[in-house]
Amino acid sequence: MTRLNPSAAAIDPVPILGLATTDLVVESDAILDELVFDAVSRALKEAGIRKQEVDLSITASMDIYDGRSISSGLTNAASGGYLGQSYRLEGDAGQAIVAAAQTIAANDADVVVAVGVYNPEVSAADRRAFVQQISNYGFEPHFDRPVALTSEVAFGMHAVHALSHGHVDREALAALSAEEITRGAGSARAVRSRAVSAADVLAADHINGPLTELMLPADSTGAIAVVLGSLARARRSRNPRAVLTGWGQSTGDTTASPSWLSDPAAPARRAASEAYRRAGVTDVADQIQVAEVTAASPAMHRPVLDALELGESITVNPSGGVRSSYPGVANGALRLLEVVHALEDTDATVGVSHSNDPLTGPIADTTTVLVVEGI
């Protein structure tokens, strides 16, 4: 099924003309602009588009991770933005993809590049502590300056809440984590490349509450570029990969609200409702076959699935999800890439990509949901 014929769509679909990633590795020697140039050049080549044809470039990165207050200046030329308009946002790449799709749907551009890049200026051995320190900084200016609160603490608190209310047990969390890691072990984009058991997960380093290191996302670095185009441009493209038929975005409540504990996937529910409405999805179980979701803690897995209305008939995280590879703010682009691969490699025709920005855990996270159809 294809939605390159706009008469079948609730809104005009936005074709994905090119999609490429650098190698996703635990630690990269390349710097930001090198990673961005690599990913964008591959994606443009795949789409058959010259960089002077790019109307807008949107880069998702975060200065506090990469240690460069001028990262926009470094990546602007690498993304082709110096030849047209460009801007950078500090959030997940899913937000950049939504912004790109909105720009094309509004007929404000013919070709837009959305790229996410993540390469913290710290060794892999020290990265967890570094990222959690940044997470603590994120809480202080935005909310109520809570002492020692970080994303891992917040996810740990949610996992304890879920266990204490009987929503899940620790063995189930370990089994789910082991299943995802093992499923993704053979992928070229996985950084956890060895199959593990539930016992291995439980025996891993303790992090917070019931959570162990193997229950958390597998930190990776790299850049991923998505080239989106208008329907007219897609008809002249080499080989469009898929089409975005719907997208939605929503942000959660702050610490003042208890909903981040009782209903942590509320932003996913709102974003999915908007994406499904745009895509004309009225029966998720019947119309969608595959999904890539982001659950930074396995205790978040079921709430996210319920929020997205994903039942047992839908294949979830065939890549292994974030426990296989999690490239920070580039994650939204990776989840989309994995859905597109699933649409190309299986009989699935429609998929959903879900991602968020867990700098402050489930508190005030911005969530994006994309509906994707194969060609």
mmCIF file of all heavy atoms in Angstrom, residues 241 330 341 358:
data_model
loop_
_atom_site.group_PDB
_atom_site.id
_atom_site.type_symbol
_atom_site.label_atom_id
_atom_site.label_comp_id
_atom_site.label_asym_id
_atom_site.label_seq_id
_atom_site.Cartn_x
_atom_site.Cartn_y
_atom_site.Cartn_z
ATOM 1 N N ARG A 241 11.612 5.941 0.345
ATOM 2 C CA ARG A 241 11.658 4.812 1.270
ATOM 3 C C ARG A 241 10.288 4.488 1.878
ATOM 4 O O ARG A 241 9.949 3.326 2.101
ATOM 5 C CB ARG A 241 12.643 5.114 2.401
ATOM 6 C CG ARG A 241 14.075 5.374 1.948
ATOM 7 C CD ARG A 241 14.769 4.094 1.522
ATOM 8 N NE ARG A 241 14.905 3.164 2.607
ATOM 9 C CZ ARG A 241 15.910 3.133 3.486
ATOM 10 N NH1 ARG A 241 16.888 4.029 3.386
ATOM 11 N NH2 ARG A 241 15.969 2.219 4.437
ATOM 12 N N ALA A 330 19.302 11.576 19.098
ATOM 13 C CA ALA A 330 19.071 11.054 17.749
ATOM 14 C C ALA A 330 18.110 9.875 17.753
ATOM 15 O O ALA A 330 17.788 9.325 16.692
ATOM 16 C CB ALA A 330 20.399 10.647 17.099
ATOM 17 N N HIS A 341 12.841 0.083 7.999
ATOM 18 C CA HIS A 341 13.477 -1.203 7.673
ATOM 19 C C HIS A 341 12.484 -2.351 7.825
ATOM 20 O O HIS A 341 12.452 -3.272 6.998
ATOM 21 C CB HIS A 341 14.693 -1.435 8.570
ATOM 22 C CG HIS A 341 15.942 -0.781 8.069
ATOM 23 N ND1 HIS A 341 16.564 -1.159 6.903
ATOM 24 C CD2 HIS A 341 16.698 0.224 8.582
ATOM 25 C CE1 HIS A 341 17.636 -0.419 6.703
ATOM 26 N NE2 HIS A 341 17.742 0.437 7.712
ATOM 27 N N PRO A 358 13.999 12.013 27.311
ATOM 28 C CA PRO A 358 13.949 11.674 28.739
ATOM 29 C C PRO A 358 15.016 12.352 29.588
ATOM 30 O O PRO A 358 15.527 11.775 30.541
ATOM 31 C CB PRO A 358 14.156 10.160 28.721
ATOM 32 C CG PRO A 358 15.097 9.948 27.579
ATOM 33 C CD PRO A 358 14.753 10.999 26.553
#
